[in-house]
Amino acid sequence: MSQSLINTEVKPFKASAFHNGAFIDVSDADIKGKWNVFFFYPADFTFVCPTELGDLADYYEQMQAIGVEVYSVSTDTHFTHKAWHDSSETIGKITYPMIGDPTGAITRNFGVMIEEVGLAERGTFVIDPEGKIQIIEINAGGIGRDASELLRKIKAAQYVAAHPGEVCPAKWKEGEATLAPSLDLVGKI
């Protein structure tokens, strides 16, 4: 990425997705007013990807409980997502929308397209209710992500959004002490 996407608004998009046994349309209008995760991955029917998507499926109910929608995105089609969902036990447990981005438009908008192969990087984006990106994580292809850590980060982002003037220190967990940045704290942490 040439510039950070933090605090930038998600660009308009329209796409087809596979969700709960049906094909649905998804657009930027669907993400407004709630927290969202866009979880980009290289391709269906691969190796690290199903482990990540399965892990995310295991945490989906907890994310829904705190008002977060999850969208997985690859440059495969929504038809391929259905075929993968129907043929893999791991992917079969997914109940969040699986967006197909065969033109790569959404993947490019988020800056995670690997142009020479037409696939997405392992990019995770947490988007606030105003449609602005608050968290970005991009991993190399061979490094899988951890949904429990993603959930922790989302809770921290939600806390900071709801408590102006407070910040969450490293390894912060829900219910733990936060910090109120001030001149008095400089050099004392």
Side-chain angles (χ1 to χ4, degrees):
M1 279 185 257
S2 59
Q3 69 179 39
S4 176
L5 294 176
I6 292 290
N7 285 317
T8 64
E9 196 163 334
V10 172
K11 293 179 182 176
F13 71 90
K14 288 184 182 177
S16 295
F18 178 70
H19 185 227
N20 290 332
F23 295 130
I24 63 167
D25 293 325
V26 179
S27 75
D28 54 298
D30 295 311
I31 69 169
K32 296 291 173 99
K34 63 184 173 221
W35 288 84
N36 298 274
V37 171
F38 274 60
F39 197 84
F40 290 87
Y41 63 97
D44 293 359
F45 296 100
T46 57
F47 315 103
V48 176
C49 299
T51 66
E52 292 184 307
L53 296 176
D55 183 42
L56 193 57
D58 292 341
Y59 283 86
Y60 183 56
E61 191 173 299
Q62 290 177 60
M63 291 185 187
Q64 289 272 278
I66 60 170
V68 178
E69 185 55 86
V70 173
Y71 298 93
S72 65
V73 186
S74 78
T75 55
D76 297 294
T77 67
H78 55 293
F79 299 111
T80 306
H81 293 334
K82 180 192 183 312
W84 195 26
H85 190 274
D86 292 349
S87 65
S88 166
E89 185 177 324
T90 300
I91 300 307
K93 67 184 179 180
I94 292 174
T95 58
Y96 50 80
M98 301 176 74
I99 295 176
D101 184 28
T103 68
I106 302 168
T107 305
R108 283 184 188 90
N109 284 348
F110 281 84
V112 291
M113 176 63 89
I114 307 167
E115 291 295 342
E116 54 276 5
V117 292
L119 301 175
E121 297 278 9
R122 290 190 196 292
T124 308
F125 297 81
V126 176
I127 302 158
D128 71 18
E130 284 92 47
K132 293 184 178 177
I133 298 169
Q134 295 301 314
I135 296 171
I136 300 172
E137 176 186 9
I138 300 174
N139 292 8
I143 303 168
R145 294 163 280 185
D146 183 335
S148 67
E149 174 60 6
L150 175 58
L151 180 61
R152 185 197 70 78
K153 289 179 186 179
I154 293 167
K155 287 179 178 181
Q158 289 179 331
Y159 185 91
V160 168
H163 299 88
E166 292 183 49
V167 296
C168 295
K171 298 182 182 180
W172 177 88
K173 290 188 176 63
E174 190 173 25
E176 292 181 351
T178 59
L179 300 170
S182 71
L183 190 58
D184 295 338
L185 286 182
V186 174
K188 295 189 177 158
I189 297 175

